[in-house]
Amino acid sequence: MPRRRQPTLRERRLAAELRFLRETRQTTLAQVAEAIGWKTAKLGRVETAVSGVSLKDLGVLLDYYGVAAERRAQLMERASTAGRRQWAAYEQFVAADYTEYLEMEVLAVGVRAFDTSVLYGRLQTESYARAIMEGHSMGLLSPGEIDRRLEIRMARQGALTRQTDPLHVWVIIAETVLDTTVGAPEVMVDQMRHLLDLAELPNIDLQVLPAVKGAHPGLTGAFAILEFPESWEADVVYLETMTRNTYLADPHEVHRYSLAYRHLSAMALDPGETKALLARRVRAQEAKSR
């Protein structure tokens, strides 16, 4: 029998929700399986995303759990697209755990990000992003691979300006990020102008954390918190390192990062002050280049 492909994030989240529905009713796999006429092993495979679940079988489970109409419709919609991989064409160019993050972004309605060394990817201009990737690659990536990764980064930005339900992004930027010259000086000027343009969008909130604020909860590094549309879908924290990407879903860990984000926001300049700071930096850079 051929091995089934790895489940998508959508499939795993749907499986986790089905497991949650059963556990909140304090029933066992065997009890539910017997009640709906399934084998226990089949239900176990569905709850662990080892096997996908058809819309017909999902309907049987939701009927048994007595799921309300609105939530039922949401889960059925989620199941209808569960096996879809929007970024499948790029899987050979990026690590599997990063592809997983891209799929997770598709499901998110909001992102809170804190950056300590470079700007959050969705805020980057193409020139800034290319300079970052070339610096990070240390010669290990071919120009073609960098081009493909750049395509991904630019495509992700479409979520910020789409006509229907644009992604809400709230980014806190450590001031040291702005002090780091990435690429040529004109690249930084264009990047600052781009930040100012983005800051005018109603779905984007930018704050700069001044260096003079000293020690803060984000000293351990950058992180992003992804928020999902339904109340029953827990937030996820995303951490990126040089060699791997990590996701935190434990409620206590997510709460710790959410608390840190609130502290960082309180320490940072408000959005109006942030725009004023960016405008001053643009004027200063332009004056230097004259």
Side-chain angles (χ1 to χ4, degrees), residues 6-267:
Q6 288 295 312
T8 66
L9 178 69
R10 289 181 176 90
E11 289 172 322
R12 292 202 301 277
R13 289 182 73 86
L14 178 62
E17 176 59 15
L18 294 176
R19 185 168 63 252
F20 174 79
L21 287 172
R22 176 180 58 78
E23 291 174 346
T24 55
R25 284 157 180 76
Q26 297 184 331
T27 54
T28 66
L29 281 170
Q31 289 170 334
V32 174
E34 181 179 5
I36 63 177
W38 290 10
K39 292 183 178 180
T40 302
K42 175 181 176 179
L43 182 57
R45 289 194 298 270
V46 166
E47 286 195 3
T48 54
V50 172
S51 297
V53 60
S54 68
L55 293 179
K56 179 181 177 181
D57 283 348
L58 179 59
V60 170
L61 281 170
L62 299 182
D63 285 342
Y64 177 76
Y65 294 136
V67 175
E70 183 179 358
R71 190 173 184 184
R72 178 190 180 94
Q74 293 164 347
L75 289 168
M76 294 295 281
E77 171 63 23
R78 180 61 53 83
S80 69
T81 60
R84 186 181 304 165
R85 293 177 185 268
Q86 177 171 324
W87 299 95
Y90 294 95
E91 287 181 341
Q92 62 180 306
F93 298 101
V94 295
D97 53 9
Y98 185 64
T99 303
E100 183 168 311
Y101 173 69
L102 296 177
E103 296 294 345
M104 195 181 302
E105 276 193 331
V106 173
L107 302 179
V109 294
V111 178
R112 288 170 286 161
F114 172 66
D115 292 299
T116 59
S117 56
V118 299
L119 288 170
Y120 174 58
R122 278 186 157 136
L123 304 182
Q124 297 175 7
T125 64
E126 184 171 344
S127 296
Y128 181 98
R130 182 179 293 278
I132 289 294
M133 291 180 186
E134 290 174 347
H136 279 178
S137 75
M138 299 180 290
L140 299 176
L141 298 177
S142 70
E145 288 175 309
I146 289 177
D147 286 344
R148 297 293 275 180
R149 293 183 181 212
L150 192 61
E151 285 179 28
I152 296 173
R153 185 156 299 181
M154 295 300 103
R156 289 168 58 213
Q157 296 184 7
L160 303 180
T161 55
R162 63 193 178 206
Q163 293 298 309
T164 304
D165 298 325
L167 182 71
H168 181 262
V169 173
W170 177 10
V171 179
I172 300 173
I173 308 163
E175 190 174 20
T176 51
V177 174
L178 305 180
D179 291 332
T180 302
T181 302
V182 174
E186 55 267 25
V187 171
M188 292 302 298
V189 173
D190 288 344
Q191 179 63 74
M192 297 293 180
R193 290 197 190 106
H194 184 58
L195 290 177
L196 281 170
D197 290 340
L198 290 174
E200 297 299 324
L201 297 178
N203 56 305
I204 297 181
D205 294 310
L206 301 182
Q207 292 184 266
V208 169
L209 178 64
V212 295
K213 292 291 184 176
H216 56 75
L219 288 175
T220 53
F223 62 92
I225 305 171
L226 279 72
E227 304 162 357
F228 300 95
E230 312 305 337
S231 59
W232 45 266
E233 292 185 291
D235 294 348
V236 173
V237 174
Y238 170 71
L239 306 172
E240 184 176 323
T241 69
M242 186 176 293
T243 57
R244 71 176 61 184
N245 306 308
T246 304
Y247 311 92
L248 305 177
D250 180 271
H252 298 291
E253 292 181 304
V254 174
H255 173 72
R256 182 72 175 265
Y257 276 91
S258 294
L259 182 62
Y261 203 86
R262 289 197 292 273
H263 278 271
L264 290 167
S265 178
M267 297 174 70

